[in-house]
Amino acid sequence: MLDSDVRCLVVVGSQWGDEGKGKLVDVLAKDADWIARYQGGANAGHTVRVGEQQYILHQIPSGILYPGKHCVLGNGMVLDPVTFFDELDELKGRGYEVEDRILISTRAQLVLAYHKLLDRAEEQSRGDAAIGTTGRGIGAAYEDKVARAGIRVADLSNRERLRELLEAGAARAQAKLRALGSDETVDVEALYDELSSLAERLLPMACDVGLALSRALDRGEKVLLEGAQGSMLDVDHGTYPFVTSSPTVAGAATTGVGLGPTVIDAVLGVVKAYTTRVGNGPLPTELPPAEADHLRELGAEYGATTGRPRRTGWFDTPVVRYAARINGLTALAVSKLDVLDTLPEIKLAVNYRLGGDTLEEFPADLSRLTELEPVYETMPGWRTSSAEARRLEDLPATARAYLDRISELTGLPIRFVSVGRRRAQIIEVGG
Ligand code: IMP
Ligand code: MG
């Protein structure tokens, strides 16, 4: 599945997240030695199916379900140590040997209880302008990171310093909570006790992960850098302010693990055969309610982290063209093609129009984004199951035509097509 000349591959979501990166990374992990997450935290929900079992991974890389693979949580992540161990223990309970395969960056930031309180209080204070965050404290933790008030994994090894940092962090959080009108209180002692006990388990996994990955690459081992969320949720390039708080694009993959950009050999952009978004903000190809509900049911489009119904729409070429450019995509993986199997016709946006003009590029200005109208092309559906297809030739001609059109409009080769949840339900193009 991994090209023999690719040592370091970035797998990146090229829409608004939930593109099916988890499944792709799981499949590709077979040929890799290391799988590393480089940003985000427990806001991510990566769904992976192995046999009859389904796993939803939030912080642990999707490669963990292949025995023997090393998994890395990079410095670009914000790590929630409490839910991290819930996730780890669940995997252990389901028979996976995990502890000695996970490395956590000593430079990763910690998400603490007060970050979650702040996330919720901030969302509430936004009223109608709420972002629709996952409530996992992600934004508040990144705010502390950039304000140089964060607490890192490395700080767990010095209890005296940890206490000082916690006191300062809690005081900051408490003041912000008050200002936001929240009456929640931050209990420093409880936090300190909790972290002290978690530190015993966490520190043996903590190290300089950039060094570990760099040595692995030198030995000729293969590394997958697994993105979370999607390009349109990137804090710089996404539909700001309706974005997550981290850089999600491929350019962040190496800074997020402590490597340099020249190690990247290829960037695989994962896209759904249609579009979804969970949370608020612009979604140009969003369907009207009844059709949106229909597509949501067909695709079982409910948030893997929050259970919220996802908004649904047609494939949006301008979004993916934009993603191709800002990520330097070398190929696409199209997921959930099978979800469209029963539709009589399928639309895809080829461009946008705004006030009589054609927009060539994805706009930064939110007011333009909410006003633009997608220009659609309509293609016939195939109305047969694609779930058993294992080669491109197994797909109906109309489904192949749809994929060809996506490839033509985005200017990218399609390397993989996923036609179901299972590992085997994947078409490797030219493989
Ligand atoms: P936050 O990352 O929890 O701050 O949420 C900010 C925005 O990103 C909201 O619209 C969330 O729904 C969205 N978001 C965060 N993580 C994911 C994800 O893994 N998949 C899809 N959307 C996400
Ligand atoms: Mg998800």
Side-chain angles (χ1 to χ4, degrees):
M1 291 272 172
L2 263 183
D3 289 332
S4 57
D5 57 343
V6 171
R7 277 186 319 160
C8 180
L9 173 74
V10 184
V11 180
V12 74
S14 304
Q15 293 158 327
W16 276 274
D18 306 316
E19 296 92 350
K21 297 176 291 295
K23 162 159 180 186
L24 246 294
V25 169
D26 172 70
V27 168
L28 292 169
K30 185 169 174 280
D31 297 335
D33 303 288
W34 296 73
I35 301 92
R37 277 274 308 269
Y38 58 86
Q39 44 72 230
N43 50 350
H46 292 168
T47 309
V48 183
R49 180 87 163 215
V50 181
E52 291 310 309
Q53 299 277 319
Q54 179 150 302
Y55 300 84
I56 297 180
L57 299 160
H58 299 284
Q59 302 192 81
I60 298 178
S62 304
I64 199 73
L65 301 173
Y66 264 105
K69 309 295 176 183
H70 302 286
C71 288
V72 169
L73 284 77
N75 56 278
M77 287 186 75
V78 287
L79 174 77
D80 180 335
V82 179
T83 59
F84 167 76
F85 282 112
D86 292 343
E87 201 172 320
L88 190 146
D89 289 336
E90 199 199 319
L91 287 170
K92 277 175 85 169
R94 292 168 78 173
Y96 286 86
E97 207 41 71
V98 279
E99 224 133 342
D100 49 4
R101 294 196 282 132
I102 296 182
L103 301 184
I104 300 174
S105 171
T106 39
R107 294 178 172 86
Q109 299 277 326
L110 296 177
V111 181
L112 303 173
Y114 54 72
H115 292 123
K116 291 178 227 178
L117 296 177
L118 278 168
D119 189 350
R120 283 169 213 154
E122 277 169 4
E123 273 290 83
Q124 249 175 7
S125 75
R126 289 185 186 112
D128 286 347
I131 294 164
T133 70
T134 59
R136 298 298 187 273
I138 305 300
Y142 279 114
E143 276 180 44
D144 271 356
K145 169 181 177 172
V146 178
R148 291 154 292 183
I151 304 182
R152 304 191 301 169
V153 169
D155 298 319
L156 293 173
S157 51
N158 179 338
R159 298 300 154 88
E160 211 173 306
R161 179 161 164 73
L162 175 64
R163 185 182 282 279
E164 282 168 22
L165 288 170
L166 270 178
E167 279 168 4
R172 250 175 85 85
Q174 192 70 75
K176 282 197 206 169
L177 285 167
R178 286 288 167 274
L180 290 164
S182 159
D183 54 13
E184 297 278 4
T185 49
V186 182
D187 185 342
V188 180
E189 277 317 304
L191 254 180
Y192 177 79
D193 291 344
E194 184 176 52
L195 280 182
S196 301
S197 83
L198 290 174
E200 304 292 328
R201 271 186 93 186
L202 206 134
L203 286 171
M205 291 180 242
C207 67
D208 181 339
V209 301
L211 180 62
L213 289 170
S214 157
R215 286 183 173 156
L217 285 166
D218 286 346
R219 288 193 298 267
E221 294 174 9
K222 295 200 178 223
V223 173
L224 288 182
L225 301 177
E226 176 186 21
Q229 292 85 47
S231 314
M232 302 314 289
L233 290 171
D234 180 278
V235 66
D236 283 284
H237 303 288
T239 46
Y240 192 89
F242 298 98
V243 292
T244 191
S245 304
S246 64
T248 62
V249 293
T254 49
T255 58
V257 295
L259 292 169
T262 48
V263 301
I264 298 174
D265 296 308
V267 183
L268 180 67
V270 187
V271 291
K272 264 180 196 157
Y274 48 98
T275 308
T276 66
R277 167 166 207 169
V278 61
N280 303 329
L283 181 60
T285 61
E286 186 160 22
L287 285 160
E291 286 172 70
D293 292 349
H294 184 51
L295 189 51
R296 179 179 314 113
E297 294 316 312
L298 289 175
E301 296 292 351
Y302 293 88
T305 299
T306 58
R308 290 180 290 175
R310 294 181 186 140
R311 299 156 63 193
T312 57
W314 296 119
F315 188 87
D316 189 333
T317 311
V319 161
V320 179
R321 269 201 306 259
Y322 178 60
R325 172 161 60 86
I326 62 178
N327 289 293
L329 298 184
T330 53
L332 284 181
V334 177
S335 70
K336 298 187 91 162
L337 184 73
D338 57 302
V339 170
L340 306 179
D341 281 352
T342 55
L343 298 180
E345 53 183 36
I346 293 160
K347 290 191 191 180
L348 76 175
V350 291
N351 248 319
Y352 300 144
R353 285 189 80 71
L354 181 70
D357 297 327
T358 301
L359 282 191
E360 298 294 340
E361 301 296 335
F362 199 84
D365 178 355
L366 202 68
S367 60
R368 281 159 68 86
L369 253 174
T370 35
E371 281 163 21
L372 53 79
E373 286 289 328
V375 178
Y376 290 109
E377 219 171 77
T378 304
M379 301 188 69
W382 40 97
R383 307 184 90 167
T384 19
S385 172
S386 61
E388 301 309 320
R390 299 293 175 266
R391 297 166 311 154
L392 219 42
E393 307 83 86
D394 299 337
L395 287 174
T398 29
R400 289 203 306 268
Y402 181 61
L403 294 171
D404 286 346
R405 191 68 183 128
I406 287 178
S407 178
E408 187 176 38
L409 288 166
T410 57
L412 287 167
I414 294 174
R415 191 72 176 82
F416 300 98
V417 182
S418 174
V419 291
R421 287 179 218 259
R422 292 166 201 281
R423 273 181 179 162
Q425 288 178 301
I426 191 120
I427 297 170
E428 185 183 5
V429 182

